[in-house]
């Protein structure tokens, strides 16, 4: 009879241990699920930040390309103006020479 009581007490103790472990596992699972949700939100926020950064970079690249095109157009215009000025100077020089020669004749 005393062995039956001891066996019953041991069985109840094991049952309590199992309940305690189940409660601990349930708490741990809840913590992990909560942390998983936090990490999912962090990942989503990081993805959005990354996409915004990529968009900003695309805009900067586009702006840089446009500025390069504008500068190249300005350089071409200045080169053209310089060639025209050189031609004009050359023509005026030729006219001056011709006038000077006529004056000497």
């Amino acid at each position: 009879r005393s062995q039956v009581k001891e066996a019953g007490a041991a069985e109840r103790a094991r049952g309590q241990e199992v309940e305690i472990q189940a409660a601990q596992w349930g708490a741990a699972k809840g913590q992990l699920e909560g942390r998983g949700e936090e990490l999912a939100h962090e990942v989503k926020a990081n993805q959005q930040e990354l996409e915004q950064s990529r968009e900003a970079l695309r805009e900067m690249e586009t702006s840089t390309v446009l500025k390069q095109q504008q500068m190249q157009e300005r350089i071409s215009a200045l080169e053209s103006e310089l060639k025209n000025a050189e031609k004009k100077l050359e023509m005026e020089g030729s006219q001056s020479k011709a006038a000077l020669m006529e004056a000497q004749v």
Side-chain angles (χ1 to χ4, degrees):
R1 191 172 166 159
S2 119
Q3 289 178 341
V4 172
K5 284 183 181 180
E6 286 176 21
E11 189 64 33
R12 283 190 297 277
R14 280 194 295 273
Q16 288 175 344
E17 285 179 28
V18 168
E19 287 177 20
I20 291 170
Q21 279 187 340
Q24 289 173 339
W25 287 343
K29 181 182 175 193
Q31 288 176 341
L32 288 175
E33 287 173 347
R35 183 65 181 135
E37 288 177 18
E38 288 176 21
L39 290 174
H41 288 298
E42 285 181 34
V43 166
K44 188 173 183 177
N46 287 342
Q47 287 173 333
Q48 289 173 340
E49 186 177 341
L50 177 61
E51 187 53 40
Q52 289 171 350
S53 296
R54 285 180 176 158
E55 182 61 30
L57 181 59
R58 280 192 289 271
E59 288 174 9
M60 287 173 54
E61 288 172 344
T62 300
S63 176
T64 301
V65 167
L66 290 175
K67 286 179 183 175
Q68 287 175 337
Q69 288 174 343
Q70 290 170 344
M71 289 180 75
Q72 189 59 47
E73 289 171 4
R74 182 68 181 136
I75 288 170
S76 295
L78 290 171
E79 287 173 340
S80 177
E81 287 178 33
L82 179 61
K83 284 180 185 176
N84 290 339
E86 287 173 343
K87 286 180 185 176
K88 186 175 180 181
L89 184 61
E90 192 177 303
M91 285 177 39
E92 288 178 3
S94 295
Q95 290 173 352
S96 296
K97 267 188 187 176
L100 186 59
M101 289 178 143
E102 276 185 34
Q104 288 178 348
V105 172

